[in-house]
Amino acid sequence: MERVTIDVVSDIVCPWCYLGKARLELAIAEVQGEVGVDVNWRPYQLDPDASSTGTDYRAHLINKLGGAERLDEMQDTLRQHGREIGVTFRFDDIKVRANTLDAHRLLHWAGIEGREIQDRVATALFKAHFEDGVNVADHEVLIGIAGRCGLDSAVIANLLASDADKAKVLDEIEAARQMGVNGVPFLIFDGQYAVSGAQPPEVLAEALRDIARMKAEARKGMI
């Protein structure tokens, strides 16, 4: 069975990224037994100017999107898409426009421990923001998520209190922008093929099958 690695460039406060994560999980489930899939979570910041204490979430989005009506339409669409695959968006409970740099640092450290833990942390961060409405820039929130996901809370607390890996995460975000990533989610398959946006599960599943098929054919050609 061929294995495919997917680097998911995303941001924790991006609703399409949360939706895209759920759709990717459905796609991976669909190809189980046909294609092995390894997922790495890569950082991106849609709103790098947000503060660590946060400012008003809804007011910021109204200003960004050009009006409350447009925002409400987008959020209604996202709620509908979410209901179809079991994702709950509670936008009214989100009060804080949070900076996600420290959340991405946490994801980086989780990735060092392994893909399973990193994926667990990614899910917990999305849920904290979009379902629980908590500030994902708050260190206590991040430490709590780390502990529940199997990381050492004391170690994470010390790392968050320092500047550890800030430059590394920012460099990775800049590298993504230099590659042409200007919107997320952005999926990179085996470092070669890119898929932009929260694509339907069937599209992602077919992409996985196609890439696995090409890898298998290339391998045969080398024999």
Side-chain angles (χ1 to χ4, degrees):
M1 183 169 65
E2 297 293 337
R3 298 200 70 83
V4 176
T5 298
I6 306 176
D7 289 291
V8 183
V9 184
S10 73
D11 196 7
I12 296 306
V13 295
C14 165
W16 293 103
C17 293
Y18 192 16
L19 187 69
K21 185 180 192 304
R23 288 177 169 178
L24 177 59
E25 288 168 353
L26 290 173
I28 292 172
E30 186 178 326
V31 301
Q32 190 173 14
E34 302 174 57
V35 185
V37 183
D38 299 312
V39 177
N40 301 314
W41 290 91
R42 303 300 187 188
Y44 196 83
Q45 283 192 289
L46 289 173
D47 191 13
D49 296 327
S51 70
S52 58
T53 53
T55 51
D56 187 88
Y57 178 77
R58 182 172 171 82
H60 167 68
L61 288 179
I62 287 173
N63 183 61
K64 182 178 179 180
L65 295 174
E69 184 177 348
R70 210 167 155 200
L71 172 61
D72 291 340
E73 286 176 359
M74 184 194 77
Q75 291 182 341
D76 285 344
T77 298
L78 282 158
R79 287 189 188 96
Q80 177 59 37
H81 285 315
R83 280 192 292 269
E84 292 169 0
I85 56 173
V87 169
T88 302
F89 288 107
R90 296 192 175 98
F91 293 112
D92 293 341
D93 292 341
I94 305 171
K95 306 302 179 186
V96 173
R97 171 195 172 199
N99 187 291
T100 56
L101 178 58
D102 287 340
H104 286 304
R105 287 203 293 159
L106 176 57
L107 274 170
H108 169 71
W109 300 323
I112 294 171
E113 297 300 316
R115 289 189 173 101
E116 185 178 339
I117 288 180
Q118 189 187 45
D119 191 75
R120 209 180 299 157
V121 170
T123 298
L125 286 167
F126 280 122
K127 185 179 183 299
H129 180 69
F130 287 109
E131 298 189 27
D132 302 333
V134 299
N135 182 0
V136 290
D138 186 301
H139 284 188
E140 290 305 313
V141 170
L142 297 176
I143 292 165
I145 287 172
R148 291 192 296 276
C149 291
L151 295 168
D152 188 315
S153 299
V155 170
I156 296 301
N158 287 333
L159 287 169
L160 285 169
S162 73
D163 288 332
D165 293 316
K166 278 186 179 179
K168 182 177 287 187
V169 170
L170 290 170
D171 284 348
E172 196 168 344
I173 292 169
E174 181 56 30
R177 291 198 175 102
Q178 292 295 326
M179 281 173 50
V181 178
N182 53 24
V184 286
F186 191 88
L187 282 62
I188 305 167
F189 293 74
D190 274 354
Q192 300 180 67
Y193 313 100
V195 174
S196 181
Q199 298 294 332
E202 58 271 20
V203 171
L204 296 172
E206 194 55 36
L208 285 166
R209 290 189 181 105
D210 286 345
I211 293 167
R213 192 179 303 118
M214 287 187 288
K215 290 181 76 170
E217 289 171 356
R219 197 183 304 280
K220 286 179 185 176
M222 294 171 63
I223 296 173

